[in-house]
Amino acid sequence: MWTGPHLLTTHDADPEQLRSLLDQARDETFAHDALSGRAVATVFFEDSTRTRVSFSLAAQRLGARVVDWTSKGSSVSKGESLIDTFWTIESMGFDAVVIRHPENGAAELVAKHARCAVINAGDGSHQHPTQALADALALGEALDRDRGWDFTGIRVAIVGDCVSSRVARSNASALQALGASVVLVGPQAMAPKELGEALGCDVAHDLDAVLGEVDAAMMLRIQLERGAGRLLPEGYPYHEHYGLTRLRAARMKDSAVVMHPGPMNRGVEIEGVVADSDRSIIRKQVEAGVRVRMAVLENAIRRLGA
Ligand code: CP
């Protein structure tokens, strides 16, 4: 999970490192001045609400100075490259840069050139490690597995546009590292068997056949900004086949929870009443995101050293 001070991926995550970080986030065992005198930049080449705000809040809660940068209105419009943008910001003296970029591998690329800690806040359809950590924290707490973080016997369906989703990839790795089993569910083009093979997950195309057996259904939006509209025939009744409706949710186990990394498209992948129901832990995922990002920032800067 960690490459020196950098957090880039949950692929091949060490379960003990995951559990240690989740313990820290659950108990908030960080000094409130842990990042006093440090500076953190959020560098976002793609839009965000949850990730950017929660990283900023997390850094501020630990006493860091925070600067939020977005590519809109920046010198990217004058042709400045990713690396030159990163070097420019790093040269101002930041200890950590939290980066989101539409290209797969962008965070890893800048980390190779970095003196500061780099945290991947989402790169293309590749990875979103802190979302997976937030989801594991919220799920473990909801299912009472937050002592030891042993997810053995828990089955999670990740439903929808898995192929476009960095959340699906990061969650599949993190959840399985903790012992859960994962099934990707969606139309053939959005949940191809090759993706399941690459991630070591099951794949299913019939949501109704899967829902009754899972402990959590993690609904994903269709990522139109990554061209996912082309994956389905024109007029395809997506909500009818893959939307988590009130009727479908009623057929889930009593103890099962509904998740969504956000942003949601109500009425498409999830009916609004399900998102707002007692089964839903969607707001808890958001809340967990702040605690997890505090733990990630504290670890990253500690690993960076003095
Ligand atoms: N889940 C997530 O990454 O949301 P944002 O795009 O709002 O940060």
Side-chain angles (χ1 to χ4, degrees), residues 44 47-52 100 121 128 131 166-167 261-263:
F44 276 55
D47 294 343
S48 170
T49 296
R50 280 145 287 271
T51 312
R52 192 174 63 219
R100 170 170 288 191
H128 192 349
Q131 180 69 49
R166 54 198 178 206
V167 172

Side-chain angles (χ1 to χ4, degrees), residues 222-287:
I222 300 173
Q223 300 211 9
L224 298 175
E225 74 274 27
R226 293 188 216 294
R230 290 194 298 272
L231 298 174
L232 298 173
E234 180 119 9
Y236 181 81
Y238 184 86
H239 185 66
E240 198 178 298
H241 290 299
Y242 293 104
L244 188 55
T245 60
R246 180 193 332 216
L247 285 177
R248 284 197 170 108
R251 295 198 291 268
M252 294 174 73
K253 290 182 193 174
D254 288 346
S255 57
V257 298
V258 170
M259 307 177 74
H260 196 308
M264 281 186 279
N265 290 135
R266 291 170 183 251
V268 183
E269 71 274 12
I270 190 165
E271 199 177 338
V273 287
V274 178
D276 300 331
S277 70
D278 289 345
R279 276 191 191 286
S280 168
I281 61 165
I282 295 169
R283 292 184 67 153
K284 292 195 167 109
Q285 291 172 259
V286 178
E287 181 275 327

Side-chain angles (χ1 to χ4, degrees), residues 156-174:
V156 180
I158 303 180
V159 184
D161 182 14
C162 301
V163 78
S164 309
S165 175
R166 54 198 178 206
V167 172
R169 288 174 177 80
S170 283
N171 260 295
S173 299

Side-chain angles (χ1 to χ4, degrees), residues 31-163:
H32 283 284
D33 60 353
L35 300 192
S36 174
R38 302 293 198 159
V40 174
T42 65
V43 171
F44 276 55
F45 291 81
E46 257 190 10
D47 294 343
S48 170
T49 296
R50 280 145 287 271
T51 312
R52 192 174 63 219
V53 174
S54 60
F55 262 116
S56 291
L57 182 61
Q60 287 173 40
R61 280 192 180 165
L62 293 172
R65 292 183 181 198
V66 183
V67 174
D68 294 316
W69 176 96
T70 58
S71 54
K72 286 190 188 100
S74 78
S75 288
V76 169
S77 67
K78 303 170 197 165
E80 194 159 37
S81 69
L82 164 63
I83 288 292
D84 285 337
T85 301
F86 175 78
W87 274 337
T88 300
I89 291 170
E90 187 191 47
S91 300
M92 295 178 195
F94 288 97
D95 300 285
V97 168
V98 176
I99 185 163
R100 170 170 288 191
H101 195 277
E103 296 296 326
N104 292 7
E108 196 176 338
L109 178 71
V110 298
K112 281 191 184 128
H113 300 276
R115 291 192 302 269
C116 69
V118 175
I119 298 163
N120 185 2
D123 60 328
S125 60
H126 180 225
Q127 281 285 316
H128 192 349
T130 61
Q131 180 69 49
L133 290 164
D135 295 345
L137 178 60
L139 183 63
E141 289 180 338
L143 298 184
D144 213 13
R145 298 290 187 99
D146 57 329
R147 300 286 147 180
W149 305 102
D150 181 359
F151 285 9
T152 306
I154 292 177
R155 187 153 174 81
V156 180
I158 303 180
V159 184
D161 182 14
C162 301
V163 78

